[in-house]
Structure formats: structure tokens, C-alpha cells
Amino acid sequence: MSGLPMKKKVQGIVKAVLSGDTVVIVKPGMPKGGPPPEVRLSLSSLKAPAVKPAGSGSDEPYAWASREFLRKTLAGKNVMFIAEYNVPQLNRPMGTVYCENGSGEVESVSRMILREGLARVRRPNNPKEDRSFDYEELCLLEDEAQERKVGLFQEGDMPPELGRTILDTHDTVEYLTKVRGKPVDGVVDYIINGSVMKILIQEKPGFYRHLTVCLSGVQSPGFRRPESEDAQAANPPALVPMPFALNAKFYTESVLLQRDVEVVFEGADKSGNLYGQVNQAGSAVRVAENLLRMGYAKTVTWSMQMTSNASVLRATEKSAMKARVGIWHDYVPNPNAAIASTDVYHGRVVEIFSGDVIIVADDETGDFRRVCFASLRAPKLGRGSDRDMPLAWEAREYLRQRLIGRRVKVSVDYQRTPPPESPMKDIMSYATITKDRGGKENTEEDIGMGLVAGGFVSLIRHRSDEERARNYEQYVQLEKEATTAKKGLHSDKNISVRRVNDLSGPENKKRNKDMLSSFVDSGPHKGILEYASTGSRYRIYLPSQSCILALALKGVRCPVPSRTLHGESEAQPGQPFGDEALHFVKLSFLQRDVQVEISSVDKTGAFLGTVRLPGQTPQAPMVDIGLSLLSHGYASLNEFFDSDRDEGGQIYSKTQEEAKAADKGIWKDYKVQEAAAQKEIEAQQTAGQVRGRVVDVGYGGKIVLHAGVPNVDESIHILETSLASLEVGDSNLPISMIKPGDAYAGKSPYDGSWYRCRVHSIDPNSGKAKVRFIDYGIDDVISARDLKRLPSEASGIPKLAFPIRLQHVVVPGNGDDYGIDAGEYLRELVYGKEVAAEVAYRDSDGTAIATVSLDGRDVASEMLKVGLARVLRQYNHESKAAFKKYADDEQVGKKTHNYLWVHGDPYASDEDDAEADKEARERRYGGVPRK
């Protein structure tokens, strides 16, 4: 109470007793505009044993007996009290409370509790310290109780029945089976909100259960954290009451808090929360009904099914709505649940999410709209490792076989805004879905009626004022008939549940490789294209194998679409035409019956194969999904595709070239001349003379040039400018969108700058990626967080790095004797200088094998003369010619007796014979052993 007068008598009502010396008192009378003011008052000069909150530790001896004595004496009673002084350390007034004793006389409560020996008197050493005005009398009462050895002053340990021991109630459902429907005595310990409370149920003297109980059939406004604040912070912000939450809580506190109550348990929810009726013992007041009558609560249909007085609760709520009291103060009744004609649209069904949710492509806007069947609820399909609920798959299949790819009419009956904790943020639409029956009558078929009649769904029990399906009464009748016939969900037999072996995860990589031959030999397979993550990667269900597998189209690759990652609100942008490719697949192929032919498994464990859609008639040809994507310009053939080797490869290549010529999809900005220029550059780099500046020197006679590309300096300037913007530009890519073989912008771990790189491999566990910086020929391992999408300006420039290894000589590598010396000498010789390279051929990793000259000097000769290289000895004509060319230079190096020659001739004449076959293969077959 604000402005509490000191040393004056004040009237009040005891709201709660916190311990044997502290109470909460509220102002009497009808509150206006919210709960009345209250004050926490401690009894002057008294100290009772401390009571701990339930579940937080043991009470002090006799603390519970002291608190219970005061609760039974004061809780809910009209009292008079005097605030005598304040204790600054507690910020609390100290005073004396008066009420009627057992003889009907008004007496100080402090005297009553001291007489029972359940509190002590504070006896300060300082005579100037504040104390109760009747301090001497209180001391005499304590001395008398001590002489009588009552309460705290008893000899020996406290009897257990005077204490409070909280019993564990982990399995509330098991407890419910023992007490359901039976009146149970208890004491309300705490009010959470108007309809939820904590109750102490005494099992035997001194032993209690501390249970959370919700009132059946009703729900009062609660308290929530501010949406803009961080509820997970160390000091979260205070709860904010919803409208009328304080009123509802105060009413329940005024009639139930710390009162002896009678509890009738009626049920429990899936989380184990108990529901029942709670009313004051011996009173005719019905709390749930009064909360509804005053507009401090709403009915809840699902928990109302537990209680026996559902009809009374519904009628009470209806009267409050009509009176517009409490939460219904601005209630406007809905005169008609049907929607206006503007809320009716037509579209094509592109996905069946479950037995009561579908995705419809709006004919007018093209948007994919999620629609729920009004007033119907289907069993849930299993997600991840969870199993389907009974008949969940059958309900979805019922809709898929009748609706997928078909045009329907959507008549929205009502809409709902998802709760804040729901992952769904858009308004949810509930509608009646109809389709044309065909025939001359041109009548519409309500799909919901078929679901109800077949027992695939259950009917939602709406409140009297709640919106519902326009054919709801017909649904009710159909459900009764299905129940009588024991169809579907209403059957008294055990319903078999679909069992699915999910092979789509990366953890099944080895298993999928082992099963490959079985899938290949038993194919082709009939399946359902369940899900598409991109235009060319799917999850396919094979009913005959009872499995779901991940499959990527063989030889065909679509751009990555935009996607919203778990826990993020904004979508990550995708590659050009990635969304269009996915949209095309969803419209044309998603959830259709398909024929799958598997050929191999990729390194992620996904199967590779061909997916075809059966024709409209048995005579019509099948539709190849990969070919359709290529023809629309939504896909390209991957770099490993061989039109001569792969079945149907010529048709695929021809279709792609036709899409290129027509500038379709991803080929819209494709320039034939740029492709020709790139081929010319690559041809120039394959053989012949190349000039360029050395930008990196490695070990084993390897160097990297910027060569073979026109206007190298201009290209470097463009790359540096575009990549520098990444520091404040694009966000990091999620690891799931990083594809080996693709080019990205990567941050160098040495100087922190951004360079173009190509990903060789990526480890999702460590988050590390093996990359090659393609403009400098350097291989490294960097964090996946240091990879970003390349700017468009950097994507069109050919790679600048031209790696070379010296021909005809052997230079020590890193790890070999004198390898570091050889690398440092070669670096001093050529780094940053213009050199000319006569390319003979390329090895298996694309490195050019060449003779390199610097200002007319042969670099290999210089390495030989200082003893940091030797001539490669092989029995072939080319090697013999090279030996004649470099023999004198090698002799000069030998005579120095340095490095390789410090101990004389260190190798036999046939040491390099084993290298001969390898080099010949590299020259003839590009490093691939001939089969």
C-alpha cells in the first residue's frame, strides 16, 4: 500500500502468509481498474524459522508448523494492523496484526504465535533499537512457552509430521490414474495466473505433493516477456501481463490462495500437466465459472472435453461475451463464418503436405499458398526419425491420388495468426477445397467430405462463436456414420503403420554404396518424388523397397536456389535461375509417380540416376526430368558428362546446345565469343611458348606464372577491386551450399585478403575446406566461414595462374635433402621476373611441363650448374637428347661438390627408369594409366 501511515490502525485482508512472522495484506473493498494495493508486513520484534520455497531446500525446524499456524489463523481474514517502524535493510515495515482469537476476542497475532512457542522474540543489545510497543509482554510470553516446552522449545528432534517433505511426482499420469474423479484435499500454495496454480496435496502428516494444476476447460490471460527483449539474458526483463491477467490472478488469489481446497482431477495433457476443478472447501463458489462470468478467462475446447460441466462453462462464457465484460470488452460477434467472394481463388495443387494441408499454386499470382482443410485434423506424418501416426500416410495418399497436379477451388472459411512460438509466421488459411466432378452436371466435390467419410481425419470441436467449415454440419453427420461403421481412425482394430527406411542422410554413405548393385540390378523402380531441394536433387520414396533415398540427376546440375536456414529469418540468396528451376520441378513433377533408374552413388552418399514421369496414356512416351530441365535452360551438363559414354548423352548435349542457342534460362547472358576466347586461351596454355611474370615459386622445380591471359594487369585490378568489397558486403555461405569443384572467394590465412579459389573438398565436421587459389596456383586449407560467393565482375575472368614444372631435370622437393635450398635458389633466380616457357605437355593435375628461360638463360641449366638439380635419365629418344643438351651443365655442378654432389654421384644410371612409363603416360593420356 502506497503511503502507509505509521503507528495508526489500518484495515486490511490477509492475502498470503509467507512465514510465521511475515504476511501480505491487501486493501479491502472492490478493486477498480486492477488489483488493489498490498503491503508485506513482518511482525514487530518477532523472528520465526525460515520457510524455503517448495523444492529449493529444507525448511528450518518448526518453520512449516509456524507458517501453518499463521495461515490457518489469518489467510483470507479481515484484520487490523499497525505499522510501527521500518527496517531499511529489508525495505519493509514492521508492525502488529490483530484478529479474532478462538474466544471471539480481538488479540495480537504476535501473542498467539508466541503462546504456541512457534516464534522467538528479537532481543536487541542496543536499547535504542526499534521494537514492538508491547515488547516486554512478548518477552514474558516467550519465557512462558520455553518453560512449558512447547513448539520450538520442545526437547529432542522435531516430529516429522510438523515439518514439510515434498514427495517426487515425476509421473503425473500414473498419479492421475489413482485420483481421477475423486475429491482430494489440498492447499493452494501459489497462483501462476487466473487458471493455473501450485497446490500442496497432503499424502500423510508432514508429507506433501507439490503439483501444478490447471482449471479444466478455461484459460485466463497470462504473462509474457516483451518481444523486443532477450528472454535468455542473465537478467531477463520482467513479465508483462496480458490484458486482464492481473484481474484474473487477483480474483483467484482472493478466493483460493492459501485456502483449504477440494481438488477433483479430471485429466492431463501431453506434457503431463494436470487438469481439474479446484474450489474452496465447504464453499459454493465455483472459480472457473466466475472467471468466465467476469470475462477473466476463455473456454478451451480440448481441455473442456475432460470436465463434466462443459455445457455450463460454454453458456457462462457466452453470457460474458454478450455483456462485453473483461477480455470481451471490445468483442464483436461474427455474423457469418463464410467468406466473401474475393476470398475464393482457383489454382493447381503442387504438394500434399499432410492429410489436412496442401500447397496450391494460385492461378492469378503464381504464388504457392499453404492451405489447411477447415475444421479437419489429420494424423501427423513422421518427421526425421519419428514414425507416422496411424493412417497419416493413407490420408496423405488419399489426397495425393486425387489432387496432385489438379486444379481446385479454394474457399477460405477463416484465418488464424500463428502463435509467437510457432515457426510459421504467415497467416494460416483454413478453407473448403472443392474440385469439378466432371460430367454434364458440372458439380463440385468437397474433398473434405471424402476425408471425413473414410475416417482419415477427425473433426475439430469448435466453440459456439468460432469460425468453421461451411459444410460443418454435414461433416458432423459423416463422422457419426464413419464412427458407426468403424472406418479408419474409428476402427477398434490395430492400424498398421508404414515403416520407412530412410537412406537419404549422409550417415548412410557406406550403406548406400553397398546397396548400389542391388538397386541397379532390380531397376528401374517405381517411386514418388517426395521432395526437391534443388531442381536436380530429390528425395524419392520407393514403396516396393520401403525406403526413402536421396537422388541427384545423373550428368545434370541445376543452380542452387535461395533458402531459409533453421533459426534465421532472412533467406540466403541462391544462384541465378535456381529458384526458377525448383519452381518448375515443383509444378511439373513433385509428388508424382515416377520411374527411377539408378546408376551410381556420389561421394556424399546420394544416388545418381535418371528420373522419368510416365506419359498421360500408356502409349505416350515417358518424360525425362533431366531433359526437360535442359530444354528450358534450367540446368547444365556437369563437367564430367561424356556424351559418347553416357546413355542418351547425345540427346542431352544436343538439348543443351539448343537451349544455349535460344538464350534460355541460365544461358540468357551466355556469350559464344567468350567461350571461344577461353578455349583459345586454354589451347595457348596447353602447348607452345608462353610468356609471363613469376608470381610464386614452389619446391621440386615448380613455378607459377601470370600468363596466357590478355591484359593480365587489368584483370588483376578488376579482381582486387571487386574482391575488396567482400569485407563489408556479402554474408558467409552456409556450409551446405558450398559445392566441391565450384569457384568462390576465399580469404587467405596469411594476409587476410580475398582471392578466387576452387574448392577441392570440404569436411562438414571440422568446417575446413581444401582449396586452390586459382590465380596463384597455391593449395591451402581454410575455414568454410572464409568462403563467399564470387562477385559477378570476378566470375567472368579466366584463371590467371599458369603452373609450370621444369622439364628434363629432377629438382629436390620439400622434404628431400637440399629441397629448401633448391626452392630458395629458384625463387631468387626467377621470382617477380618475366620468363619464357616452351610447353611440351601437361601432367595429370594440369601443371605444364616446360623449358623455362630467363633473359636468354635456361633456368634448368642454372639449377644444374650450382648442384641443385640433376638430369632426368630415361631410356627414350627425348631423354637422350636432353641429356646431351644438359650433360656439360650437370658436370659443372658435380665438380662443385655442393648440395646433390657433396658425396659424389648419388644415384645409379637406371634410377629414373621407373619414371619413364609414368611420363609417357602423362604425355599421351594426361596422367591416366592406360587400360
Side-chain angles (χ1 to χ4, degrees):
M1 298 179 186
S2 60
L4 180 67
M6 301 299 291
K7 298 184 179 180
K8 290 186 178 181
K9 293 182 179 180
V10 181
Q11 298 290 330
I13 299 175
V14 176
K15 171 184 168 181
V17 175
L18 304 183
S19 65
D21 59 9
T22 304
V23 296
V24 179
I25 302 175
V26 297
K27 184 177 180 180
M30 290 296 294
K32 296 181 180 180
E38 62 182 44
V39 63
R40 178 180 292 194
L41 183 78
S42 293
L43 299 179
S44 300
S45 297
L46 257 62
K47 178 175 176 57
V51 178
K52 297 291 184 66
S56 64
S58 300
D59 302 331
E60 292 183 0
Y62 294 96
W64 187 247
S66 176
R67 185 261 201 188
E68 279 295 276
F69 173 81
L70 209 59
R71 180 189 70 82
K72 294 176 180 179
T73 303
L74 294 180
K77 302 286 183 64
N78 287 293
V79 297
M80 180 181 69
F81 67 97
I82 300 174
E84 300 178 57
Y85 58 90
N86 279 306
V87 177
Q89 296 87 342
L90 300 177
N91 191 25
R92 184 186 306 164
M94 312 292 284
T96 302
V97 180
Y98 298 90
C99 72
E100 290 186 0
N101 58 20
S103 304
E105 299 175 352
V106 176
E107 185 182 6
S108 165
V109 174
S110 300
R111 299 183 182 187
M112 295 183 192
I113 199 167
L114 284 171
R115 193 177 294 118
E116 298 295 326
L118 295 175
R120 296 180 184 272
V121 178
R122 294 179 182 271
R123 304 191 184 215
N125 295 325
N126 185 356
K128 295 183 180 181
E129 186 174 330
D130 291 326
R131 61 190 69 191
S132 176
F133 70 92
D134 57 350
Y135 174 77
E136 289 77 10
E137 296 180 27
L138 298 180
C139 291
L140 290 174
L141 289 171
E142 181 187 26
D143 294 340
E144 291 176 4
Q146 192 168 4
E147 290 178 3
R148 291 185 287 114
K149 297 181 180 181
V150 295
L152 294 168
F153 309 107
Q154 293 184 39
E155 295 180 351
D157 296 333
M158 180 191 71
E161 60 268 16
L162 296 181
R164 178 187 59 163
T165 301
I166 303 299
L167 303 174
D168 291 334
T169 310
H170 297 301
D171 192 347
T172 55
V173 176
E174 181 181 354
Y175 176 74
L176 178 64
T177 58
K178 300 177 181 178
V179 298
R180 187 194 296 267
K182 303 175 183 178
V184 178
D185 294 333
V187 176
V188 175
D189 187 49
Y190 179 72
I191 303 298
I192 298 174
N193 62 48
S195 58
V196 184
M197 61 205 72
K198 296 278 189 178
I199 299 180
L200 285 167
I201 304 293
Q202 186 176 20
E203 291 290 321
K204 59 181 180 179
F207 293 87
Y208 300 84
R209 296 187 185 275
H210 197 247
L211 304 175
T212 301
V213 181
C214 309
L215 296 178
S216 299
V218 302
Q219 184 178 33
S220 292
F223 301 78
R224 60 186 177 188
R225 304 261 179 215
E227 295 182 358
S228 59
E229 301 288 347
D230 183 8
Q232 303 299 322
N235 295 310
L239 293 172
V240 176
M242 298 175 67
F244 295 95
L246 293 175
N247 305 69
K249 183 178 180 182
F250 173 73
Y251 170 75
T252 306
E253 287 176 340
S254 65
V255 295
L256 292 183
L257 183 59
Q258 293 197 343
R259 310 297 208 286
D260 293 322
V261 295
E262 182 180 88
V263 185
V264 179
F265 292 100
E266 295 177 315
D269 61 15
K270 295 179 181 178
S271 301
N273 297 313
L274 294 170
Y275 286 76
Q277 299 181 42
V278 183
N279 294 293
Q280 194 174 146
S283 172
V285 175
R286 293 294 173 257
V287 177
E289 294 176 30
N290 284 350
L291 284 170
L292 291 171
R293 185 175 293 108
M294 292 182 291
Y296 294 159
K298 292 183 178 180
T299 58
V300 181
T301 303
W302 71 269
S303 66
M304 191 181 294
Q305 298 172 1
M306 305 176 185
T307 185
S308 58
N309 62 338
S311 58
V312 176
L313 296 179
R314 200 184 303 276
T316 305
E317 181 188 43
K318 192 173 182 179
S319 65
M321 294 167 67
K322 290 181 178 179
R324 292 184 174 86
V325 295
I327 58 178
W328 307 111
H329 68 281
D330 56 355
Y331 169 70
V332 177
N334 185 2
N336 187 1
I339 64 170
S341 59
T342 54
D343 296 319
V344 176
Y345 62 91
H346 296 80
R348 183 190 301 178
V349 178
V350 296
E351 184 178 357
I352 309 297
F353 192 79
S354 64
D356 56 5
V357 181
I358 64 175
I359 309 296
V360 179
D362 192 329
D363 284 348
E364 185 174 346
T365 64
D367 295 337
F368 286 1
R369 302 177 66 171
R370 182 187 178 101
V371 185
C372 306
F373 280 80
S375 301
L376 304 181
R377 182 179 291 117
K380 293 183 179 180
L381 287 165
R383 303 295 176 192
S385 60
D386 297 335
R387 295 177 60 182
D388 298 342
M389 293 178 66
L391 287 181
W393 172 254
E394 289 78 2
R396 200 211 75 158
E397 279 297 279
Y398 176 88
L399 293 181
R400 189 184 73 86
Q401 294 172 5
R402 286 161 177 78
L403 295 183
I404 196 69
R406 308 286 180 84
R407 294 188 73 255
V408 295
K409 177 182 177 182
V410 181
S411 303
V412 181
D413 293 312
Y414 54 94
Q415 294 180 322
R416 284 182 182 160
T417 301
E421 65 274 10
S422 172
M424 300 294 298
K425 301 303 178 185
D426 297 331
I427 294 177
M428 301 171 66
S429 297
Y430 296 79
T432 299
I433 312 297
T434 57
K435 72 170 186 175
D436 190 355
R437 294 181 185 271
K440 297 181 179 180
E441 295 84 0
N442 195 28
T443 57
E444 294 178 344
E445 174 188 0
D446 185 343
I447 305 301
M449 290 187 179
L451 287 168
V452 178
F456 296 114
V457 296
S458 57
L459 195 59
I460 297 174
R461 306 301 175 187
H462 294 284
R463 296 198 304 263
S464 57
D465 69 314
E466 198 172 36
E467 295 84 357
R468 61 195 67 200
R470 58 190 62 201
N471 296 327
Y472 187 80
E473 298 305 325
Q474 293 172 288
Y475 290 174
V476 172
Q477 184 60 35
L478 288 171
E479 186 179 52
K480 290 180 180 178
E481 295 174 2
T483 303
T484 303
K486 298 182 178 180
K487 292 184 178 180
L489 295 172
H490 313 292
S491 174
D492 53 3
K493 299 179 181 178
N494 291 330
I495 302 174
S496 61
V497 179
R498 177 186 65 143
R499 296 178 180 270
V500 180
N501 187 13
D502 192 348
L503 303 176
S504 61
E507 66 277 5
N508 295 296
K509 179 178 177 179
K510 183 179 183 303
R511 187 179 180 186
N512 290 349
K513 288 183 178 180
D514 295 339
M515 298 179 66
L516 175 62
S517 59
S518 172
F519 279 122
V520 172
D521 295 342
S522 60
H525 304 272
K526 292 183 178 180
I528 302 171
L529 201 162
E530 288 287 352
Y531 176 76
S533 58
T534 72
S536 56
R537 297 188 73 89
Y538 318 127
R539 293 178 78 239
I540 295 180
Y541 173 55
L542 303 182
S544 61
Q545 307 286 340
S546 296
C547 68
I548 293 177
L549 50 85
L551 184 139
L553 293 179
K554 177 184 176 184
V556 176
R557 185 175 181 181
C558 290
V560 176
S562 58
R563 63 187 68 186
T564 301
L565 301 180
H566 179 70
E568 296 185 5
S569 57
E570 295 184 1
Q572 295 283 347
Q575 297 173 339
F577 289 94
D579 291 335
E580 289 83 350
L582 183 59
H583 186 89
F584 172 74
V585 169
K586 286 185 175 181
L587 275 178
S588 306
F589 307 111
L590 186 64
Q591 290 192 336
R592 308 304 204 279
D593 293 319
V594 295
Q595 186 185 86
V596 182
E597 194 166 347
I598 297 172
S599 59
S600 60
V601 178
D602 68 11
K603 57 186 177 183
T604 67
F607 291 96
L608 300 177
T610 305
V611 183
R612 297 182 177 90
L613 187 72
Q616 298 293 333
T617 63
Q619 295 75 26
M622 303 188 79
V623 178
D624 188 320
I625 296 180
L627 203 60
S628 296
L629 289 165
L630 289 170
S631 66
H632 286 81
Y634 292 143
S636 60
L637 297 174
N638 64 38
E639 55 187 352
F640 304 108
F641 182 80
D642 188 341
S643 60
D644 296 326
R645 182 187 62 190
D646 295 329
E647 182 181 356
Q650 296 293 341
I651 299 176
Y652 275 42
S653 296
K654 180 181 177 182
T655 303
Q656 177 172 273
E657 293 304 318
E658 291 174 350
K660 286 183 181 180
D663 290 335
K664 290 184 177 180
I666 60 177
W667 312 112
K668 184 178 181 181
D669 298 324
Y670 177 76
K671 305 296 183 182
V672 177
Q673 58 271 26
E674 290 181 0
Q678 179 65 24
K679 289 182 179 179
E680 183 179 348
I681 291 170
E682 292 178 355
Q684 180 184 357
Q685 293 179 346
T686 301
Q689 192 177 69
V690 175
R691 297 189 65 85
R693 184 174 70 255
V694 178
V695 295
D696 189 59
V697 177
Y699 298 100
K702 292 183 179 180
I703 62 176
V704 179
L705 312 183
H706 276 171
V709 178
N711 303 318
V712 172
D713 293 336
E714 181 180 347
S715 297
I716 292 175
H717 176 72
I718 294 173
L719 289 173
E720 290 177 347
T721 303
S722 61
L723 292 173
S725 63
L726 291 176
E727 288 293 351
V728 293
D730 296 341
S731 60
N732 298 84
L733 289 168
I735 197 169
S736 60
M737 294 183 66
I738 299 173
K739 304 298 181 185
D742 284 359
Y744 299 91
K747 181 184 282 189
S748 169
Y750 302 104
D751 62 7
S753 299
W754 293 92
Y755 301 96
R756 295 191 302 173
C757 66
R758 189 175 302 279
V759 175
H760 290 324
S761 63
I762 187 164
D763 184 357
N765 296 321
S766 65
K768 298 291 186 181
K770 293 182 179 179
V771 302
R772 168 169 287 185
F773 291 97
I774 60 177
D775 296 318
Y776 294 89
I778 300 173
D779 293 323
D780 213 330
V781 177
I782 65 175
S783 170
R785 294 193 299 270
D786 291 334
L787 290 171
K788 295 185 179 183
R789 192 171 284 107
L790 275 175
S792 57
E793 300 88 347
S795 301
I797 299 176
K799 67 177 183 178
L800 305 181
F802 186 50
I804 293 175
R805 190 173 77 242
L806 297 179
Q807 188 182 19
H808 299 312
V809 294
V810 177
V811 180
N814 188 21
D816 296 334
D817 291 339
Y818 311 111
I820 295 178
D821 298 284
E824 291 178 349
Y825 180 81
L826 183 59
R827 184 178 184 85
E828 292 178 1
L829 188 64
V830 300
Y831 182 75
K833 300 174 182 178
E834 292 283 337
V835 298
E838 191 70 33
V839 179
Y841 60 94
R842 284 178 178 268
D843 66 8
S844 58
D845 67 353
T847 301
I849 310 301
T851 302
V852 181
S853 59
L854 172 67
D855 299 329
R857 295 180 295 160
D858 190 322
V859 173
S861 296
E862 298 298 320
M863 298 291 290
L864 289 166
K865 289 177 182 178
V866 296
L868 287 171
R870 61 181 177 82
V871 179
L872 182 68
R873 288 163 167 76
Q874 295 174 343
Y875 292 111
N876 56 56
H877 176 74
E878 190 173 330
S879 183
K880 289 179 180 179
F883 182 77
K884 290 180 180 179
K885 176 180 177 181
Y886 293 115
D888 293 341
D889 297 327
E890 187 180 61
Q891 282 301 120
V892 173
K894 286 183 179 180
K895 290 178 180 180
T896 64
H897 294 286
N898 289 327
Y899 304 117
L900 296 179
W901 313 109
V902 67
H903 298 298
D905 194 341
Y907 61 90
S909 61
D910 61 348
E911 183 174 337
D912 297 320
D913 285 350
E915 298 293 326
D917 290 339
K918 178 181 177 181
E919 185 169 349
R921 287 196 302 269
E922 290 176 344
R923 295 177 58 184
R924 184 173 300 176
Y925 306 113
V928 180
R930 190 175 183 183
K931 296 182 179 179

